[in-house]
Amino acid sequence: MSPVASGSTVDAVLDQLQAQVSDGSWAVGERIPAELDLAAQLGVSRPAVREAIRALSHVGVLEVRRGDGTYVRSGADPHPLLRRVARASARDVFEVQLAYDVQAARLAARRRTDADLARLEDLLRARDEATEPDAFGAADARFHLGVAEASRNPVLIEAMRYFIDRLHESMRAIRLDHEVPEAGPARHRAVLDAIAAANPQAAATAAAAVVEPTLAALETLLDKAAPPEPGAPLDGEAG
């Protein structure tokens, strides 16, 4: 591997790791070097390596075994899938978010601890206080991830962690676009209150109420932007 150029993103680290698998330098079943060693070889931070490993784990190329290390699981090229996620529309993102959030809230209401509730209170407060679009997007994503973490479902948590950057970007864009509403403090508070009350159905309903208005607005905007059907009358023409 060669050092990653200064200023490069996690994607550049991911490309280097995938290249090691694709060219056979790391065989299927082999344990790869530790994060610290990889960070030194590539000249990047450990978090950048960790994020790249996490992304490749989500798509089945690598497997992280706690207390043992990270192993090559598959030689398949994950780039087509990663590109699809990167290019997903805001509507695509919120359709997936709706499914994740509803189940996460339902499970969190059953399994949350007092420590989870205290952390969610802090995350919700940070979300409510964020004003700058990028900070708001990040704070909103952290709250939704916090709900997933309270679910105690490791697959759901990892799926949310993989997806969280796209949610951050989408919420940032919505804060900049006044045509699309975002659920305010009251609806997010309802999610947390239902989780605190250990009411799974109320938590699921409240979580859906957070995402559905934004998704409906995106659907409306897409319908308006769509080209008319062949032969359909244009605006102002008789039907």
Side-chain angles (χ1 to χ4, degrees), residues 11-64:
D11 289 341
V13 179
L14 187 154
D15 287 342
Q16 289 260 15
L17 302 187
Q18 176 61 36
Q20 295 294 108
V21 176
S22 297
D23 68 13
S25 297
W26 294 343
V28 173
E30 180 181 345
R31 183 168 63 181
I32 72 172
E35 286 179 6
L36 193 60
D37 294 334
L38 290 171
Q41 291 179 48
L42 295 171
V44 297
S45 66
R46 262 185 96 174
V49 172
R50 187 175 301 121
E51 286 303 311
I53 289 174
R54 177 175 291 162
L56 289 173
S57 298
H58 283 304
V59 295
V61 173
L62 299 178
E63 179 184 1
V64 179

Side-chain angles (χ1 to χ4, degrees), residues 98-145:
L98 177 61
Y100 283 179
D101 278 359
V102 168
Q103 184 64 0
R106 181 182 287 116
L107 294 176
R110 294 174 183 162
R111 301 170 180 171
R112 90 293 184 276
T113 64
D114 289 343
D116 290 328
L117 294 178
R119 181 166 179 265
L120 288 171
E121 285 285 357
D122 290 341
L123 292 172
L124 184 57
R125 185 180 308 110
R127 182 194 185 277
D128 293 345
E129 293 174 355
T131 54
E132 190 273 327
D134 189 62
F136 170 76
D140 181 83
R142 283 193 294 269
F143 175 77
H144 287 269
L145 178 58

Side-chain angles (χ1 to χ4, degrees), residues 5-237:
S6 176
S8 295
T9 65
V10 172
D11 289 341
V13 179
L14 187 154
D15 287 342
Q16 289 260 15
L17 302 187
Q18 176 61 36
Q20 295 294 108
V21 176
S22 297
D23 68 13
S25 297
W26 294 343
V28 173
E30 180 181 345
R31 183 168 63 181
I32 72 172
E35 286 179 6
L36 193 60
D37 294 334
L38 290 171
Q41 291 179 48
L42 295 171
V44 297
S45 66
R46 262 185 96 174
V49 172
R50 187 175 301 121
E51 286 303 311
I53 289 174
R54 177 175 291 162
L56 289 173
S57 298
H58 283 304
V59 295
V61 173
L62 299 178
E63 179 184 1
V64 179
R65 302 177 188 173
R66 293 191 181 279
D68 188 11
T70 301
Y71 289 77
V72 178
R73 184 177 179 185
S74 169
D77 183 0
H79 284 87
L81 173 59
L82 295 172
R83 281 194 294 269
R84 283 196 294 271
V85 173
R87 295 171 182 171
S89 69
R91 180 179 64 179
D92 296 333
V93 171
F94 281 100
E95 285 176 345
V96 174
Q97 190 65 30
L98 177 61
Y100 283 179
D101 278 359
V102 168
Q103 184 64 0
R106 181 182 287 116
L107 294 176
R110 294 174 183 162
R111 301 170 180 171
R112 90 293 184 276
T113 64
D114 289 343
D116 290 328
L117 294 178
R119 181 166 179 265
L120 288 171
E121 285 285 357
D122 290 341
L123 292 172
L124 184 57
R125 185 180 308 110
R127 182 194 185 277
D128 293 345
E129 293 174 355
T131 54
E132 190 273 327
D134 189 62
F136 170 76
D140 181 83
R142 283 193 294 269
F143 175 77
H144 287 269
L145 178 58
V147 172
E149 289 171 338
S151 76
R152 298 290 185 278
N153 182 305
V155 177
L156 180 57
I157 292 168
E158 285 304 310
M160 280 287 285
R161 285 175 179 163
Y162 177 63
F163 199 64
I164 210 69
D165 286 343
R166 285 309 319 270
L167 177 61
H168 173 181
E169 294 165 7
S170 296
M171 292 307 300
R172 175 184 179 277
I174 282 174
R175 180 53 68 96
L176 291 168
D177 184 351
H178 299 296
E179 286 189 272
V180 180
E182 56 89 8
R187 288 186 178 177
H188 284 77
R189 167 55 59 183
V191 174
L192 181 49
D193 286 348
I195 292 172
N199 187 329
Q201 186 53 52
T205 300
V210 167
V211 182
E212 286 173 342
T214 300
L215 187 53
L218 290 170
E219 291 279 6
T220 299
L221 288 174
L222 287 172
D223 288 344
K224 289 180 179 178
E229 292 289 334
L234 300 176
D235 288 345
E237 293 184 350

